[in-house]
Amino acid sequence: MYVDVSNNATAQFAGKGFSALIPALIFSFIKTGLSEEIFFRGFLAKRLISKFGFKIGNIAQGLLFGLLHGMLFFWIAGVLGAIVIITLTGISGWLSGWINEKQSGGSIISSWLLHGTGNIIASIAAMFNSI
């Protein structure tokens, strides 16, 4: 209602229903979910946490994760929308880092599954024109 979603990543699945399920799963879990988790939690978070400690390193990687998503959606969502996206994805990034390091023994599998699940929910909403 407030954000033009016609240009976002899931727009490619808009209105395609179940015929887009396999491409949406690949997009959600492999193309974006896995690649972002490898970079942000598997590479960046581990280095920042090693250098600055868990608290500062995890906040930094979460903030960078949020800023990247905010920049990607700035032209679509406007300033207020970008701030909301930065906040929500930044918190999500921080939580993913916490889960990986404190609950999953340093593995990115749990955050990858969470990230992919969030992406597939957005893709399914687009597939059935719910967003």
Side-chain angles (χ1 to χ4, degrees):
M1 182 159 93
Y2 298 105
V3 176
D4 175 15
V5 295
S6 63
N7 291 325
N8 72 12
T10 58
Q12 62 190 314
F13 308 119
K16 295 187 177 175
F18 284 112
S19 68
L21 185 59
I22 299 301
L25 284 166
I26 292 168
F27 167 82
S28 298
F29 283 93
I30 306 296
K31 184 178 179 195
T32 57
L34 183 59
S35 62
E36 289 182 10
E37 290 306 314
I38 288 171
F39 178 71
F40 281 99
R41 262 58 76 188
F43 176 78
L44 191 60
K46 296 216 182 285
R47 277 145 187 84
L48 291 169
I49 290 168
S50 175
K51 184 165 178 89
F52 300 109
F54 176 76
K55 185 176 182 180
I56 300 297
N58 195 41
I59 289 170
Q61 70 82 22
L63 180 60
L64 290 169
F65 185 71
L67 287 170
L68 172 79
H69 285 82
M71 290 184 333
L72 291 172
F73 288 97
F74 177 79
W75 301 111
I76 297 170
V79 174
L80 183 58
I83 291 170
V84 170
I85 290 167
I86 290 167
T87 303
L88 293 177
T89 56
I91 291 169
S92 172
W94 179 89
L95 183 60
S96 292
W98 181 83
I99 288 169
N100 289 352
E101 298 301 318
K102 300 296 184 181
Q103 301 295 311
S104 297
S107 173
I108 66 165
I109 292 174
S110 50
S111 64
W112 171 42
L113 294 174
L114 285 169
H115 195 150
T117 300
N119 289 347
I120 195 65
I121 289 168
S123 295
I124 289 171
M127 287 163 48
F128 296 99
N129 291 325
S130 299
I131 56 172

